[in-house]
Each structure stands twice: as structure tokens, then as C-alpha cells.
Amino acid sequence: MQYYNIKTLEYQNKGNNLFFEPHIRTNLKLPNFWEWQMSSGINRTFGNVNQIYNNPILNALNVTKMPIDLSRQKEFQIENQWKYNNPLNSIASYITLNYTNTQKDYIYSETILDNGQRSFELLPMKNRRNSISFLGNVSKYYQNIRSNIQFNTGYTLLNTNSLIQNQFIENKVNNYVAKAKITYNQLSSLGFEYEYSFTLGTSKSMLNQVDFNQQNHFLNFYVIPIEKHAFHVNLDYYIFNYQDNQNSYPFLNLLYRFYRKKKIDFEIKWNNIINNRDFTRLYFDQAQIIKSSYQLRPSQLLFSIKFNFR
């Protein structure tokens, strides 16, 4: 049970409320290295300090205004998790299911101008937000080669409400994610780490439907061919697909390090070997697609000296 004594500076409204916020958590050890956990509870929030200031706030080109008193919301959440940890064969895994229902007494009204400027206003209107998510993970460690392999997968179904251009809109988002990661560290002079991730999703509303997918490749490789000399290679590769738009960006960096006995290291870095000049991503929301472009530094060589006085 929690007791709230709420008083805002501008409205001078005082409210004394007694709320019951139950929480329960269960942990059960099962045979054969299994474990089950369950948690559930109700939480209430009453806005934040930003809502004390009720005049418009300018952030970049966007304007936010919060003319109502402290916003309230009530959240109910339940989560189930099954774990399997077997130290005999070095296998660890878990599966998590989560359901969240949020009830709000406010909503953000969004207005988009012709120049792309967005105006947000907090208005009193009851609405809900529901989400169902699944997350799975399994990993295996190989002692004889000092290596680890890991797989992750997840799915989220989200239903929200929004108010855009004075129109009440129901939004539905489906998002699927899969990841794989391999780490190899058997030799002190050779090792690598590779990670791949794939995201597939759909955002659907009364205004539009946006389909998207994204792939990421990350590779870190190091080798010490002879004593005191080390090479590190870093490769990142991004692939973005939004509707009929596709962008792909490879990035390659190389580092050479020379170790001295007198606690002095010399490094030479070659950044952006492929010499990419820009990096563009597309984001989406319920009303529009946003394009973000970044100008990158050209390919460059850096020389550095590191001292260690310990």
C-alpha cells in the first residue's frame, strides 16, 4: 500500500490518495537443472517533474506543451520465465513470456506542420497500451576450445493509441528479432567475435502500414603474429530495408599495436578504410517516415603513444 500527497506548483491542487499496489513473486526449483519464476504486480505513476512547467518547451524544431495537471497511469504486468542451467554440459537457456496492460488518463496530441515541425500537447483522454512479448535464449560453452555460441530470439506485439492531426488512431506493431553470436578464445595469440542480428517488423495504423527489416553483421578479430606485435580488425555491416528503400553500409577499421617493455605502447589506427562519406537511416512512427543522414569523416590514419606509470 502506498500513500500519495500530491500538490502541483501552478494549479495548487492538493490530492490525498491511498492506493493498493500488490506485487507477487514466485521462484520454484525443479529437477534436472530447471527453474521457474513468476512475477506480477500493479504500479501507479503520477507524471514527472517536467510537467510542473506548463509553458511550451522547444526541443530542436519540435514543441511540447503540458497544460494539464500531473498525468496518471496504472500498469498491470505479469511475467513467466523458465530457466535451464546445466553446468555439466555448459548449457544455459531461458524462455520469458510477458504481458503488460497500461491505462492512462492522458494522451499526446501530435500536430505535424508542412515544414516537418512537430507539436506535442498533453491532453486529458483515457487510453490503453497493451503488449505481449516472448524472449528466448540458449548458449553453449565449449571448454576444450574456449569458445561460446549463443542464440537469441524475440517477438513483441504492441497495441497503442495516438492522437495525430486531431484524429484518434489505433496502432499495431509486430516486431521479430533473431541474434547469433560466436566467440573464440582458445589461443592467446588469436581470437575473434562475430555477431549477426536480424529484425523484421510491421507498423500498421489507420494512416499507413510500414514494413521494415534490418540486418547487422559485427566482426572483431585479433592476431598476435610475433611477440609485442598485435593486429585488430573491426568490420561492421548494416543493411536497412524500409518499404522499397534499401541502404547498406560496410565499415572497416584496422589497428596495429606495438608493446614495449618500458610500459609504452605505440598504436596506428586506420579508420574508415572503405571511406564511407555518409550514413543514412530511416525511422518510422504512426504518422511519418523520418530520414536521418550523418556526414562521416573520410578515411584517416591516427598515430598514438600510450604511457603506463603503474
Side-chain angles (χ1 to χ4, degrees), residues 145-189:
I145 58 174
R146 298 178 60 187
S147 301
N148 186 76
I149 184 170
Q150 180 178 349
F151 297 97
N152 298 79
T153 185
Y155 173 78
T156 301
L157 173 61
L158 177 64
N159 292 281
T160 62
N161 300 319
S162 57
L163 191 62
I164 302 176
Q165 308 294 92
N166 295 321
Q167 182 179 4
F168 185 80
I169 298 174
E170 296 182 353
N171 312 296
K172 184 177 181 181
V173 178
N174 292 274
N175 191 61
Y176 171 76
V177 178
K179 296 181 179 181
K181 184 177 181 179
I182 301 175
T183 305
Y184 174 80
N185 291 308
Q186 182 181 14
L187 303 176
S188 58
S189 59

Side-chain angles (χ1 to χ4, degrees), residues 4 30 37 40-41 62 85 91 102 114 155-157 161 166 184 203 213 217 235 243 261 265 283:
Y4 297 91
L30 301 173
Q37 294 181 351
S40 180
N62 302 323
N85 292 301
I91 294 179
T102 304
D114 294 336
Y155 173 78
T156 301
L157 173 61
N161 300 319
N166 295 321
Y184 174 80
S203 176
N213 68 76
H217 300 264
L235 174 62
Q243 302 293 71
K261 291 184 177 179
D265 296 344
Y283 303 89

Side-chain angles (χ1 to χ4, degrees), residues 89-306:
N89 54 19
S90 302
I91 294 179
S93 63
Y94 64 82
I95 296 176
T96 303
L97 297 174
N98 180 280
Y99 170 77
T100 303
N101 177 274
T102 304
Q103 300 179 18
K104 303 179 181 180
D105 64 357
Y106 66 93
I107 192 171
Y108 276 99
S109 175
E110 179 179 356
T111 303
I112 305 174
L113 305 181
D114 294 336
N115 63 353
Q117 185 181 26
R118 308 169 76 182
S119 175
F120 300 92
E121 185 175 2
L122 199 62
L123 300 178
M125 177 183 293
K126 294 185 180 296
N127 64 99
R128 294 187 178 185
R129 180 181 186 272
N130 296 312
S131 68
I132 301 174
S133 62
F134 162 83
L135 180 64
N137 174 281
V138 59
S139 63
K140 165 71 175 177
Y141 180 72
Y142 297 90
Q143 179 66 34
N144 55 338
I145 58 174
R146 298 178 60 187
S147 301
N148 186 76
I149 184 170
Q150 180 178 349
F151 297 97
N152 298 79
T153 185
Y155 173 78
T156 301
L157 173 61
L158 177 64
N159 292 281
T160 62
N161 300 319
S162 57
L163 191 62
I164 302 176
Q165 308 294 92
N166 295 321
Q167 182 179 4
F168 185 80
I169 298 174
E170 296 182 353
N171 312 296
K172 184 177 181 181
V173 178
N174 292 274
N175 191 61
Y176 171 76
V177 178
K179 296 181 179 181
K181 184 177 181 179
I182 301 175
T183 305
Y184 174 80
N185 291 308
Q186 182 181 14
L187 303 176
S188 58
S189 59
L190 177 66
F192 73 89
E193 180 180 275
Y194 171 75
E195 181 178 342
Y196 169 79
S197 64
F198 174 77
T199 302
L200 177 65
T202 300
S203 176
K204 184 178 182 179
S205 68
M206 299 170 56
L207 296 179
N208 58 15
Q209 176 174 326
V210 178
D211 301 313
F212 66 94
N213 68 76
Q214 176 179 333
Q215 299 182 61
N216 298 328
H217 300 264
F218 305 104
L219 175 64
N220 292 305
F221 174 82
Y222 75 88
V223 60
I224 305 177
I226 57 178
E227 187 180 2
K228 301 180 183 179
H229 297 267
F231 292 90
H232 294 257
V233 179
N234 173 254
L235 174 62
D236 298 341
Y237 186 43
Y238 302 87
I239 303 174
F240 305 109
N241 290 281
Y242 294 86
Q243 302 293 71
D244 296 328
N245 300 284
Q246 178 173 333
N247 297 315
S248 60
Y249 302 93
F251 295 94
L252 179 63
N253 304 315
L254 176 64
L255 180 145
Y256 164 74
R257 180 181 290 121
F258 174 61
Y259 303 88
R260 296 274 297 180
K261 291 184 177 179
K262 296 181 180 181
K263 299 182 179 179
I264 300 177
D265 296 344
F266 298 91
E267 285 187 357
I268 299 177
K269 293 182 180 179
W270 187 3
N271 295 329
N272 194 9
I273 297 176
I274 303 177
N275 198 28
N276 285 317
R277 296 302 182 93
D278 60 81
F279 181 73
T280 302
R281 296 190 63 175
L282 295 176
Y283 303 89
F284 70 94
D285 58 18
Q286 299 91 342
Q288 60 183 345
I289 298 176
I290 305 170
K291 180 180 180 181
S292 297
S293 298
Y294 306 89
Q295 297 297 317
L296 306 178
R297 289 185 177 182
S299 180
Q300 59 183 356
L301 283 173
L302 300 175
F303 177 76
S304 62
I305 302 177
K306 295 185 177 181

Side-chain angles (χ1 to χ4, degrees), residues 1-14:
M1 300 180 66
Q2 296 197 31
Y3 175 76
Y4 297 91
N5 188 334
I6 304 170
K7 185 177 181 180
T8 59
L9 296 179
E10 183 168 331
Y11 291 97
Q12 298 296 320
N13 292 331
K14 185 175 181 180

